Amino acid sequence: MSTPNHTASTHSEEENYLTNETTIQSWLLTKDHKRIALLYLISVTLFFTLGGLFASIVRLELLTPAGDLLSSEFYNQAFTSHGVMMVFFFLIPAVPAVLGNFLIPLMVGAKDLAFPKINLLSWYIFMVGATFAIFAVLTGGLDTGWTLYPPYSSTYSQSRVALAVAGVFIAGFASILTGVNFIATIHRMRAPGLTWFRLPLFVWAHYATSLVMVLGTPVIAITMVLLFLERVFGFGFFDPAKGGDPVLFQHLFWFYSHPAVYIMILPAMGVISEIISTFSRQKLFGYSFVAMSSLAIAILGFLVWGHHMFTTSQSAYTGILFSALTFLVAIPSAIKAFNWTATLYKGSVSWETPMLFAFGFMGLFLIGGLTGLFLATMGMDIHLQDTYFVVSHFHYIMVGGGVMGYMGGIHFWWPKITGRMYSNFWSKLSALLIFAGFNFTFFPQFILGYMGMPRRYHSYPEEWQVLNVMSTLGASILAIGYALPAFYLTYSLIRGKKAPANPWGATGLEWKTASPPPPHNFHETPIVTTEAYDYQSLPLSETPEKEGVHHG
Amino acid sequence: MSAPASPAMHPAEPHAEPHHEEHHGPTVKMYFAIFFALAILTVVTVLAAMFDFAPMLGKEMGGFVNNLVALGIACTKAALVVLFFMHVKYENKLVGLAVVASVIWLAFLILITMSDYLTRTPAWADWKLFSR
Amino acid sequence: MANLAASLQHHFADFKQQKESVVLGMWSFLVQEVMFFGGLFVTYVVYRSQYPDAFHEGAMQLSSVLGGFNTIVLICSSLTMAMAVHAASKGNRGAIAFWLVLTIVFGSIFLGVKVVEYKEKFDHGFIPGIADHGLRVNHETHQPRPTGFALYFGLYFAMTGLHAIHMLIGIPILAIIAINGLRGKYGPEYYTPVEMTGLYWHFVDIVWIFLFPLLYLIGAH
């Protein structure tokens, strides 16, 4: 792709971004995007674990039809805390703030993001927001559902709404600052020769995501302000007794929260593009279509929010508009899925761990996306809204899609980030357990939802117990699958084989520098002369060793 | 931009392009002219708001015209500030696109939300319009 | 003149790249500010369309004189801000500080008037949750206030309050930039911080350009 940095391996003994400074200060006051990415990695792993604990509590209760483990009030807190932790403090930051922060400057050939200090600030803002939210959860809890709908959240809930709302508000600014940083970096800091259509699709995905972050997040921020004013001062915006409308909250909330799901999935899709291309050793089929589809999703994603409100007093006419636009927004996602599949055709496909996650993504995202069409159809949504069908739909997308993409990305770039290779056996096992566990957990929920089991209830009729038990068992397998990486990835840091600059034989500027990279990323500014995913121009030393094929 | 030498080696070499940009931009006279325009438009908007169009156009139309004039003047004032005080007239197209995008997104939020409130009356809910 | 080289951050290739990145970053931030205030504007549009008479009655409690005066004050502050940027582009240390101090003065006058207005609302009981006895009943006519009157004042405080917070954040920033300007940090090759501060300040002015007719002038007749 560029003049290969053939001295990459000899620099591995030199200092890298992990070894150049080792004080606590050098981590907590770092301006290095790579270190900030690791700070985020530690944070989101912590919040994922916390969110997972709450999920376990929910699934434990649902083993039996009676609401016998938890009071309904505490159950409300359990699913609410699960949702708040997972949505705001894991899914939204995970891929962008960990992988995006680490990789975007490398992928565009820059020394850092445009605003390194703001990058660090965004992590601190994120942590302050998380502290507020966790404090709320631990001291009195939050029981409104992650969607915080008034009038329950504004008037009747006895839980820590104001505190939680403050936490979400604050954390939103971390997201906004990340988006601002990415937009400026991608526009203005690309290396010489790196035109827009030579960028890796991971970068296109994050660019589109950044547009959503900047245009959407402020709306939930102001909505949290309004909810706070409502709850603490009785302003009345959402209170019918004062002339307000609770549905206005839903408009404002979903104006952000629908595009938010694209913040969660677009970066993961960017990861998948990189993985599929690398492990088929083919240029991504329909590159420009995939690039443009990210923008299309970002834009169209702002016009569909009312599909969360079909069963409210929202006008049926507006509902028709939203339903039609929702069908439309499925198209760019489908374009990606077709292009990924086409990339595999006649490729040299190998089954490394990242590829297992990518395949898992493709299958599960497909199911999640298709079930979205049922929900987009107003007539069907009347029956499916607030049932487990919806729960399953969004878990297929956010977990089967988003988390698989995140895990695939972590496994793909782990050698670059840490300079170590991890165990093939344990990582593949983990991927398979996650895939199997996931399906056992969530497929039964489609059936339960179709049969009418409501969401957010801690008890249910006897005849649904078998499916619920299956779901909880699946969740246990899923939990093991998620826990394993903590062990084998940590182990790799101590005993893992040292990684070369380009262990997968991938294209992209990040693979042209050492693993781990030097503090300023590149010893010389790269100059880009070829298209993206140009496997032909990789030197033989960087084509991965396959079984039975050895390089000289 | 080729491989950069340390920028500290070139402190006395201000780049030509930024200099050119600086010379593009409103003059002091223009700034004062824009200021006066804004002040006058403020007076106009106050006078227009005090004027009752209802005797001429009826209550609804009158109210509508008051709103239209007020918003029109506000948008004009905003445009003057954006184009001249904020230099957007002299900046590259990307900045202009950012301004336009923010207006469009705000329009999405307001127009689509209002489409809900405006189409909620019982007559609509009864689909009466379609059964004519 | 302070060391110009120190103004170029190490991760940028040159001043041009730094300036372009900072400008784009600042404008991206302003885009999110539009959407931030936008949530309040859509709430206003929804409720004013539902309760036009209540909003009219609410606006009549405000003084268009004070509001108009404040509008002119902010427009003056935008002029002085633009002049400060202009002075910075010429490297004129004294002028930079002069114009920025004037901008701070105008901003402070604006906030002073707002304090007067808010105090008046407090006395009349028009502040939801804090002093709201006037929101339910008209103390002169003893008639109940129409539905939506409280919403009008909720919006009044949310919108002007958020705006005032933005000014409170802006004024210390102006002060810092003024001090830096006096110290000779800005000149023709590098005055980006002054420009960016200007962008922020002008944006805050634009918000008020819309708040004034929407909150004050709808009670004008």
Side-chain angles (χ1 to χ4, degrees):
Chain A
M1 183 175 189
S2 69
T3 39
N5 187 353
H6 37 253
T7 52
S9 50
T10 61
H11 282 293
S12 59
E13 280 76 32
E14 281 185 16
E15 66 173 20
N16 58 61
Y17 79 99
L18 291 168
T19 57
N20 62 332
E21 285 179 284
T22 52
T23 60
I24 297 259
Q25 216 171 320
S26 69
W27 279 92
L28 292 179
L29 294 177
T30 183
K31 293 194 290 272
D32 183 345
H33 65 101
K34 301 181 288 300
R35 288 193 169 202
I36 294 172
L38 291 184
L39 290 175
Y40 267 109
L41 174 63
I42 296 168
S43 309
V44 304
T45 306
L46 186 65
F47 302 137
F48 180 72
T49 307
L50 211 51
L53 271 161
F54 287 116
S56 314
I57 295 174
V58 168
R59 286 286 4 136
L60 263 165
E61 167 67 280
L62 293 175
L63 266 176
T64 59
D68 46 10
L69 186 67
L70 311 164
S71 64
S72 49
E73 288 78 16
F74 193 78
Y75 184 77
N76 292 345
Q77 287 184 35
F79 67 71
T80 300
S81 307
H82 167 69
V84 169
M85 280 288 115
M86 289 306 204
V87 170
F88 292 114
F89 300 101
F90 176 70
L91 283 166
I92 286 179
V95 178
V98 178
L99 296 171
N101 264 329
F102 195 94
L103 294 164
I104 287 175
L106 287 164
M107 288 180 169
V108 302
K111 293 196 182 122
D112 208 307
L113 287 175
F115 312 118
K117 288 184 253 186
I118 288 184
N119 198 13
L120 181 67
L121 180 66
S122 88
W123 181 73
Y124 277 103
I125 291 175
F126 177 67
M127 292 306 283
V128 170
T131 305
F132 271 74
I134 292 176
F135 189 73
V137 161
L138 295 176
T139 63
L142 184 68
D143 65 354
T144 59
W146 81 274
T147 48
L148 298 162
Y149 282 2
Y152 183 67
S153 62
S154 57
T155 316
Y156 301 101
S157 172
Q158 302 297 309
S159 68
R160 301 287 239 160
V161 175
L163 206 54
V165 151
V168 169
F169 174 83
I170 293 167
F173 283 96
S175 199
I176 289 170
L177 291 177
T178 299
V180 166
N181 229 334
F182 286 177
I183 289 172
T185 306
I186 296 170
H187 269 281
R188 298 297 186 215
M189 294 180 72
R190 284 169 286 128
L194 189 50
T195 57
W196 279 90
F197 285 94
R198 286 178 171 175
L199 284 168
L201 288 164
F202 180 90
V203 178
W204 274 102
H206 280 79
Y207 179 70
T209 305
S210 301
L211 296 176
V212 181
M213 283 170 161
V214 166
L215 288 163
T217 316
V219 178
I220 195 162
I222 197 69
T223 309
M224 294 297 102
V225 170
L226 289 171
L227 186 59
F228 185 93
L229 292 174
E230 181 87 357
R231 183 158 172 96
V232 176
F233 297 106
F235 269 48
F237 298 122
F238 311 125
D239 181 358
K242 294 180 178 159
D245 183 9
V247 175
L248 178 63
F249 175 89
Q250 296 189 33
H251 276 297
L252 291 168
F253 179 84
W254 288 111
F255 183 88
Y256 164 74
S257 299
H258 188 83
V261 314
Y262 297 113
I263 295 177
M264 299 179 224
I265 201 68
L266 278 169
M269 289 171 156
V271 171
I272 299 307
S273 292
E274 298 302 321
I275 294 176
I276 299 265
S277 170
T278 301
F279 294 101
S280 324
R281 303 204 62 68
Q282 298 229 88
K283 179 172 153 65
L284 200 84
F285 193 92
Y287 171 100
S288 47
F289 277 88
V290 177
M292 290 295 114
S293 71
S294 294
L295 292 181
I297 291 173
I299 296 170
L300 284 173
F302 273 96
L303 304 177
V304 302
W305 78 84
H307 66 225
H308 299 270
M309 300 161 62
F310 286 149
T311 57
T312 65
S313 60
Q314 176 181 264
S315 152
Y317 292 91
T318 308
I320 293 172
L321 174 70
F322 281 126
S323 178
L325 287 165
T326 307
F327 273 83
L328 214 58
V329 82
I331 295 174
S333 292
I335 287 175
K336 286 184 196 280
F338 289 133
N339 280 298
W340 290 323
T341 313
T343 306
L344 296 167
Y345 181 65
K346 290 200 174 165
S348 170
V349 176
S350 57
W351 297 99
E352 325 293 28
T353 307
M355 193 58 151
L356 292 182
F357 281 111
F359 264 77
F361 177 105
M362 288 205 290
L364 300 177
F365 177 77
L366 180 69
I367 295 174
L370 289 175
T371 52
L373 295 172
F374 293 116
L375 296 166
T377 315
M378 279 204 287
M380 282 235 60
D381 187 71
I382 294 179
H383 302 284
L384 297 172
Q385 172 66 352
D386 276 333
T387 68
Y388 264 86
F389 193 92
V390 178
V391 174
S392 197
H393 157 73
F394 66 68
H395 281 90
Y396 263 83
I397 309 236
M398 301 211 285
V399 184
V403 182
M404 291 287 240
Y406 174 71
M407 298 292 276
I410 292 286
H411 284 78
F412 185 53
W413 281 291
W414 186 261
K416 177 59 54 186
I417 294 172
T418 63
R420 303 284 183 149
M421 304 299 290
Y422 47 82
S423 157
N424 261 332
F425 171 77
W426 286 103
S427 59
K428 288 187 184 183
L429 178 65
S430 172
L432 291 171
L433 282 176
I434 289 174
F435 184 79
F438 177 88
N439 280 303
F440 270 104
T441 310
F442 291 104
F443 201 83
Q445 292 184 13
F446 276 131
I447 303 172
L448 284 166
Y450 174 75
M451 293 198 294
M453 179 172 170
R455 62 186 288 198
R456 296 174 166 173
Y457 279 43
H458 72 145
S459 62
Y460 53 82
E462 293 265 347
E463 56 260 34
W464 293 337
Q465 183 169 23
V466 174
L467 287 169
N468 270 293
V469 169
M470 200 168 146
S471 181
T472 301
L473 285 177
S476 320
I477 300 170
L478 189 58
I480 297 172
Y482 283 137
L484 282 176
F487 296 102
Y488 63 78
L489 288 179
T490 309
Y491 183 81
S492 79
L493 294 175
I494 313 164
R495 292 287 179 82
K497 198 178 87 181
K498 287 237 165 102
N502 193 356
W504 312 118
T507 61
L509 290 176
E510 76 270 29
W511 302 108
K512 298 270 168 279
T513 191
S515 303
H520 297 300
N521 296 344
F522 301 96
H523 290 290
E524 286 174 12
T525 304
I527 297 174
V528 176
T529 53
T530 59
E531 300 306 305
Y533 311 111
D534 192 353
Y535 294 96
Q536 268 61 47
S537 68
L538 274 182
L540 193 62
S541 59
E542 288 187 38
T543 18
E545 297 216 358
K546 303 257 188 141
E547 280 183 33
V549 179
H550 292 280
H551 302 296
Chain B
M1 279 166 282
S2 54
S6 161
M9 286 163 57
H10 304 277
E13 184 200 25
H15 278 255
E17 288 109 304
H19 244 156
H20 276 208
E21 258 184 81
E22 271 61 287
H23 292 314
H24 278 170
T27 59
V28 170
K29 259 200 203 160
M30 282 175 77
Y31 282 137
F32 275 87
I34 300 288
F35 164 75
F36 280 117
L38 289 169
I40 289 169
L41 284 169
T42 305
V43 173
V44 170
T45 201
V46 172
L47 292 173
M50 297 191 330
F51 190 84
D52 191 356
F53 288 96
M56 266 198 273
L57 303 167
K59 185 168 187 248
E60 277 211 21
M61 204 54 199
F64 177 74
V65 170
N66 271 117
N67 283 326
L68 195 64
V69 168
L71 273 174
I73 294 177
C75 288
T76 307
K77 289 163 82 179
L80 287 173
V81 174
V82 165
L83 289 170
F84 295 100
F85 283 165
M86 296 173 89
H87 261 228
V88 172
K89 185 171 192 292
Y90 309 92
E91 287 278 3
N92 60 65
K93 294 215 173 95
L94 195 55
V95 169
L97 182 62
V99 175
V100 169
S102 62
V103 173
I104 290 177
W105 253 254
L106 185 55
F108 283 157
L109 176 59
I110 295 178
L111 293 175
I112 300 180
T113 304
M114 280 310 291
S115 84
D116 173 18
Y117 287 94
L118 291 174
T119 58
R120 273 195 200 179
T121 62
W124 286 86
D126 284 4
W127 299 81
K128 284 210 172 81
L129 248 83
F130 291 88
S131 60
R132 210 178 299 162
Chain C
M1 167 83 173
N3 183 8
L4 185 66
S7 318
L8 179 65
Q9 296 191 42
H10 78 280
H11 55 285
F12 289 116
D14 52 38
F15 275 100
K16 179 169 184 282
Q17 188 184 51
Q18 178 173 275
K19 168 95 187 271
E20 285 179 344
S21 303
V22 171
V23 167
L24 189 57
M26 188 62 193
W27 275 105
S28 305
F29 179 75
L30 292 180
V31 166
Q32 77 82 31
E33 286 276 81
V34 169
M35 298 308 291
F36 191 48
F37 278 95
L40 293 177
F41 279 101
V42 72
T43 305
Y44 171 94
V45 173
V46 167
Y47 288 129
R48 182 164 161 220
S49 69
Q50 305 268 338
Y51 309 112
D53 297 328
F55 270 53
H56 180 255
E57 193 172 317
M60 287 206 297
Q61 315 304 318
L62 266 44
S63 160
S64 289
V65 169
L66 284 179
F69 171 76
N70 256 357
T71 308
I72 300 288
V73 163
L74 271 192
I75 291 172
C76 291
S77 80
S78 264
L79 173 67
T80 55
M81 183 72 234
M83 292 304 296
V85 175
H86 186 85
S89 75
K90 303 279 183 243
N92 187 337
R93 292 195 205 190
I96 297 172
F98 170 75
W99 289 112
L100 285 174
V101 166
L102 263 190
T103 309
I104 293 174
V105 166
F106 282 122
S108 306
I109 292 174
F110 179 94
L111 289 173
V113 171
K114 284 249 62 76
V115 168
V116 167
E117 285 184 289
Y118 280 11
K119 166 94 180 34
E120 207 196 319
K121 306 293 170 296
F122 180 83
D123 292 336
H124 282 101
F126 290 148
I127 310 185
I130 294 175
D132 57 6
H133 50 90
L135 287 178
R136 288 178 294 277
V137 176
N138 181 335
H139 289 303
E140 276 149 43
T141 65
H142 300 289
Q143 297 301 307
R145 291 286 188 188
T147 311
F149 188 81
L151 292 179
Y152 169 83
F153 275 101
L155 275 164
Y156 171 80
F157 282 104
M159 295 172 103
T160 63
L162 187 63
H163 177 264
I165 289 172
H166 277 76
M167 292 197 58
L168 282 167
I169 293 172
I171 288 174
I173 296 176
L174 288 169
I176 293 170
I177 302 288
I179 293 171
N180 283 340
L182 263 182
R183 289 194 181 143
K185 282 204 176 161
Y186 310 123
E189 304 86 4
Y190 175 74
Y191 61 101
T192 316
V194 191
E195 276 185 286
M196 298 303 106
T197 305
L199 287 181
Y200 176 82
W201 193 259
H202 294 307
F203 171 78
V204 176
D205 183 20
I206 290 175
V207 173
W208 184 260
I209 283 173
F210 284 95
L211 291 187
F212 173 56
L214 291 176
L215 291 172
Y216 290 79
L217 295 182
I218 59 172
H221 72 262

